[in-house]
Amino acid sequence: MQPITHLVDDSAASSNLHVHGDRELIRTLEQVVGRHHVLTGYRATKRYRTGMRFGEGKALAVVRPGSLVEQWRVLKACVQACAIVIPQASNTGLTGGSTPDGSSYDRPVVIVSTKRIRGIHLIDGGDQAVCLPGSTLNELEQRLRPLGREPHSVIGSSCIGASIFGGVCNNSGGALVHRGPAYTELSVFASVSQTGQLSLHNKLGIDLGNEPEEILRRLEEANFPEDTIHRDAGAASDGEYARHVRDVDATTPARYNADPRRLHDASGSAGKVMVFGLRLDTFPAEAGAKVFYIGTSDAAVLEKLRRDLLRNLVDLPIAGEYLHRDAFDVSEKYGKDMFLLIKRFGTDRLPMFFAAKSWLDGLSSRSRLIPRHLPDRFLQLVSKCLPGHLPPRLVEYRNRYEHHLMLKVKACSVQETRALIERQLDGTRDSYFLCSEEEAKDAFLNRFVTAGAAIRYRTLHTDTVEDIVALDLALRRNELEWLEKLPDELDRAFTMKLYYGHFLCHVMHQDYMVRKGGDCLALEHELLALQDSRGAEYPAEHNVGHLYAAKHALQAFYRQLDPCNCFNPGIGKTSRNWMYRDDEENQ
């Protein structure tokens, strides 16, 4: 099936775009979505303009369309007004990739939040899902559970309400060893050409009509009979990754953000196009899976175990999550309230919780009468008063071992895995146990609140911590010295270092608490230079955002998608200007 491209034949959408006044654009947007869903005030827009962990900037408006047709009309209005468009789904990223960064843009910035446009349409009995922009991984997981199936990611991102679109557009890898980065070649998206022409591309592999609004209405309503769905239109997941990750002698990482293998239209686009629909594979759920909890104080033991598991286990492990003792401590103490919130209420109420906290943070930051970071201080005080929340065996292993690995395997692999673990571990220095169901849930949840716990730690220790330098690294598949050893002088620049990650894929998240008064940018450059010397790639799965410089292949992909630099300019430290003007001048 040939992809269909639909053009908006509008003389205003040319390279000589007429720049409307800000008020006129806002009035147009209000006519499209209603006044209530066009936000312009500082307080009203703050949580959309501020990244979960990093990044904050100014925006003319935040627009919240309620349908795909409204989303399209909002986009048309912004293009015609020569405004920058930043698409945003759940805004749960860690690198500021879906928010503005500062105010040094040459055009007004409009954030288009798609959270109101929710919908998941299952096809082929649930073997695939067609998803709309505001849908979350948690929602997809709930839809698939009765069918005995699950989405690409089921632990980690789904715990914090992350969107399906965010995962695909940011090449998110997730924790599941055999699935690789979130990826599809089947999507509906809009782009703007070098001459300023707005186009809607239907590459979903489903016949939806001939006009943009017709296509989008039928997509949202799931108005596509069986005979309109093409089964051979393209890949809807990374089917090669299971073989790829097993090659433990390869000199390149298993997965990373700028891997040319997995940059395709919406996949890896990082907001450089406007995406309206994605078609994704789903996967059989693993009934009866078991979790081994492994402790050691010798980093080399875990690497030997990793290589043995990937080479020799008949069925790949489901997940292999690493947590250093220091990260365990921070997670246990500063992630306790989030742990208990998720365990008690699940993830459904997290967006409401984050919205309320963001509003209170904004209030405390502007008021002299309210202490700074009041919500974090209050939640931390409450969590101190609550009893211990982690199973005793996890706490015991924390006291005994520096390195912790949570290894989840299929039920049929338990005995084979046990034998392999015992072959690699020295029983006098290392140990393991098979988790109960409750211990397994708690172990993984403690691991996955680590990133948020690190932010809480920084927030509450501003007297000793300047800020966090957070690295998201993909190590070479053949890397043996996976745990870095910093030069003494560089090491002294940090009060604490937190190491955790998706160990079997060699994807590490490393958070450095910079000593008060330290130069975070200079330290980040030193750290990245060390990673360059190791052959690591970065970022691994969180997108370049405004933290990392996009490498040449990724910049070329962004320019191919968005030649006029209309969407999310400045991402990956690229130009923020129309047609990438300053980049051209520097060449």
Side-chain angles (χ1 to χ4, degrees):
M1 175 183 172
Q2 294 297 318
I4 305 170
T5 301
H6 301 276
L7 305 180
V8 177
D9 185 13
D10 193 324
S11 58
S14 68
S15 56
N16 296 317
L17 290 170
H18 174 62
V19 181
H20 293 193
D22 292 350
R23 290 184 180 178
E24 184 175 347
L25 174 57
I26 289 172
R27 282 196 297 270
T28 302
L29 296 173
E30 288 175 345
Q31 291 171 0
V32 174
V33 302
R35 182 174 298 178
H36 180 68
H37 294 295
V38 179
L39 312 179
T40 56
Y42 177 91
R43 183 181 301 177
T45 61
K46 183 174 174 58
R47 69 186 177 99
Y48 299 92
R49 297 183 293 101
T50 306
M52 178 182 177
R53 182 172 192 166
F54 174 86
E56 182 176 0
K58 293 184 178 180
L60 172 67
V62 174
V63 188
R64 305 184 301 186
S67 69
L68 293 182
V69 170
E70 285 188 2
Q71 184 181 345
W72 170 252
R73 292 174 179 173
V74 164
L75 178 57
K76 284 179 66 176
C78 291
V79 170
Q80 290 166 359
C82 202
I84 287 168
V85 175
I86 299 181
Q88 185 181 99
S90 294
N91 192 19
T92 57
L94 302 182
T95 61
S98 58
T99 61
D101 183 52
S103 58
S104 56
Y105 295 92
D106 63 345
R107 292 151 288 160
V109 174
V110 175
I111 299 171
V112 180
S113 171
T114 60
K115 291 182 70 173
R116 295 177 61 217
I117 312 173
R118 296 190 170 186
I120 295 169
H121 310 313
L122 301 182
I123 58 178
D124 293 339
D127 287 358
Q128 289 189 329
V130 175
C131 306
L132 302 188
S135 303
T136 67
L137 280 167
N138 181 256
E139 291 167 345
L140 181 55
E141 188 176 354
Q142 291 179 354
R143 286 288 309 276
L144 293 172
R145 188 176 293 126
L147 304 177
R149 300 189 69 81
E150 59 189 21
H152 170 269
S153 297
V154 294
I155 43 181
S157 296
S158 59
C159 289
I160 58 171
S163 75
I164 297 166
F165 277 44
V168 172
C169 294
N170 293 328
N171 293 121
S172 297
L176 301 181
V177 178
H178 51 304
R179 294 187 191 165
Y183 177 76
T184 185
E185 296 168 1
L186 308 176
S187 62
V188 175
F189 65 95
S191 65
V192 178
S193 72
Q194 193 162 4
T195 59
Q197 203 165 34
L198 175 62
S199 307
L200 183 70
H201 311 264
N202 177 13
K203 299 186 180 181
L204 200 63
I206 301 176
D207 298 331
L208 294 169
N210 297 310
E211 296 299 327
E213 294 196 5
E214 176 192 11
I215 290 170
L216 296 175
R217 284 196 185 93
R218 290 184 59 181
L219 172 59
E220 187 162 2
E221 297 167 0
N223 182 11
F224 39 85
E226 283 290 314
D227 60 0
T228 65
I229 302 172
H230 300 263
R231 268 70 184 183
D232 58 351
S237 62
D238 185 351
E240 301 173 355
Y241 188 75
R243 175 195 57 79
H244 187 69
V245 74
R246 281 190 184 270
D247 186 0
V248 295
D249 294 317
T251 59
T252 57
R255 55 178 168 90
Y256 58 99
N257 193 260
D259 187 351
R261 296 171 55 252
R262 291 296 173 254
L263 298 176
H264 186 95
D265 291 341
S267 296
S269 60
K272 297 300 286 182
V273 292
M274 176 72 81
V275 186
F276 294 84
L278 294 174
R279 179 175 164 187
L280 297 164
D281 287 333
T282 70
F283 306 87
E286 294 294 344
K290 299 295 182 183
V291 173
F292 289 91
Y293 199 94
I294 300 163
T296 181
S297 292
D298 185 353
V301 168
L302 290 190
E303 183 57 32
K304 291 176 183 177
L305 179 59
R306 169 187 168 270
R307 293 173 67 84
D308 203 356
L309 287 165
L310 293 177
R311 274 176 168 166
N312 299 317
L313 205 62
V314 173
D315 291 307
L316 274 175
I318 298 169
E321 291 300 301
Y322 168 76
L323 195 63
H324 186 272
R325 176 189 282 156
D326 291 342
F328 185 108
D329 290 346
V330 168
S331 183
E332 179 186 22
K333 183 174 181 180
Y334 296 94
K336 184 177 183 179
D337 54 306
M338 185 59 62
F339 178 103
L340 294 172
L341 180 69
I342 294 172
K343 187 170 182 178
R344 175 67 179 84
F345 297 107
T347 60
D348 293 348
R349 300 187 186 182
L350 284 187
M352 180 177 64
F353 169 80
F354 283 128
K357 182 177 178 299
S358 177
W359 183 83
L360 289 171
D361 281 334
L363 193 63
S364 66
S365 69
R366 295 189 302 277
S367 173
R368 295 181 179 180
L369 301 177
I370 302 175
R372 291 272 292 173
H373 307 301
L374 178 63
D376 283 294
R377 297 182 186 281
F378 174 75
L379 289 169
Q380 193 61 31
L381 181 63
V382 170
S383 68
K384 283 183 179 179
C385 300
L386 299 174
H389 61 293
L390 295 181
R393 286 204 286 186
L394 268 63
V395 177
E396 177 196 352
Y397 267 51
R398 177 262 165 232
N399 295 333
R400 291 169 58 188
Y401 302 111
E402 182 179 357
H403 307 291
H404 300 246
L405 180 66
M406 290 140 269
L407 184 63
K408 187 175 184 179
V409 299
K410 296 180 179 181
C412 63
S413 298
V414 170
Q415 295 307 318
E416 181 189 6
T417 303
R418 188 193 302 272
L420 191 151
I421 290 172
E422 292 179 350
R423 183 167 74 220
Q424 292 294 343
L425 298 190
D426 182 339
T428 63
R429 295 182 301 172
D430 320 304
S431 190
Y432 76 94
F433 63 88
L434 190 63
C435 295
S436 68
E437 185 175 345
E438 194 70 14
E439 286 174 328
K441 289 180 180 177
D442 288 353
F444 275 98
L445 188 50
N446 186 53
R447 153 66 184 90
F448 286 114
V449 298
T450 306
I455 300 170
R456 171 73 58 79
Y457 181 92
R458 175 199 62 186
T459 300
L460 300 184
H461 291 83
T462 54
D463 54 334
T464 58
V465 176
E466 184 68 26
D467 206 344
I468 299 176
V469 172
L471 301 188
D472 171 31
L473 304 171
L475 305 180
R476 296 176 305 176
R477 283 170 281 174
N478 69 341
E479 178 64 72
L480 300 180
E481 300 293 331
W482 62 273
L483 187 64
E484 69 180 8
K485 296 177 182 177
L486 298 181
D488 290 343
E489 184 176 353
L490 180 57
D491 194 55
R492 286 193 291 270
F494 309 113
T495 63
M496 182 186 297
K497 305 183 298 295
L498 306 181
Y499 297 98
Y500 52 102
H502 313 308
F503 187 68
L504 298 189
C505 297
H506 255 191
V507 168
M508 295 296 297
H509 305 308
Q510 301 181 179
D511 295 342
Y512 305 82
M513 302 293 171
V514 177
R515 201 173 295 278
K516 192 67 176 179
D519 186 335
C520 295
L521 184 60
L523 290 168
E524 180 184 357
H525 289 165
E526 282 193 67
L527 290 166
L528 292 177
L530 286 175
Q531 300 307 327
D532 289 337
S533 70
R534 303 172 71 194
E537 291 281 355
Y538 49 85
E541 60 178 6
H542 287 159
N543 190 265
V544 289
H546 291 286
L547 271 178
Y548 299 93
K551 295 188 177 179
H552 178 74
L554 194 56
Q555 288 193 40
F557 180 62
Y558 291 162
R559 282 184 174 242
Q560 172 195 334
L561 293 177
D562 182 22
C564 67
N565 208 18
C566 296
F567 295 97
N568 210 5
I571 197 84
K573 301 189 183 297
T574 58
S575 169
R576 296 165 183 247
N577 295 331
W578 172 256
M579 302 289 290
Y580 304 91
R581 277 198 306 255
D582 52 350
D583 283 358
E584 300 293 344
E585 292 167 2
N586 293 329
Q587 287 179 359

